[in-house]
Amino acid sequence: TLVDQGLRDLPQAWAMISAAPAQIMRLADRGVIAPGKRADLVIIDKAIRNVECTIVAGRIAYLSGAAAHRFVAMGQPLQLAAE
């Protein structure tokens, strides 16, 4: 909604649900992508805002859409976290 209304761009809006809660809860080891931080990553299609991939503890947990095509095009076998 914030992006749709032009109040924030997507990275700023995402920080509100990632970095801000980590800071509020004083979880200094998460909330941003930086060396030494814990990171579960979400890859979003910017145009339609669908979640296309989640990476949890360094493993792909979910993969679909254009992100799936890019990973498959790499030509290496993928191991999902559920496997």
Side-chain angles (χ1 to χ4, degrees), residues 21-47:
Q23 290 173 349
I24 290 167
M25 298 190 66
R26 297 187 178 130
L27 299 171
D29 66 338
R30 61 197 80 191
V32 296
I33 301 171
K37 305 276 185 168
R38 294 177 60 169
D40 294 339
L41 304 176
V42 178
I43 299 171
I44 298 174
D45 180 318
K46 184 178 180 180

Side-chain angles (χ1 to χ4, degrees), residues 7 12 26 30 46 49 62 64 66 70-71:
L7 300 172
Q12 291 170 331
R26 297 187 178 130
R30 61 197 80 191
K46 184 178 180 180
R49 294 192 207 106
Y62 175 77
S64 71
R70 287 191 299 272
F71 276 98

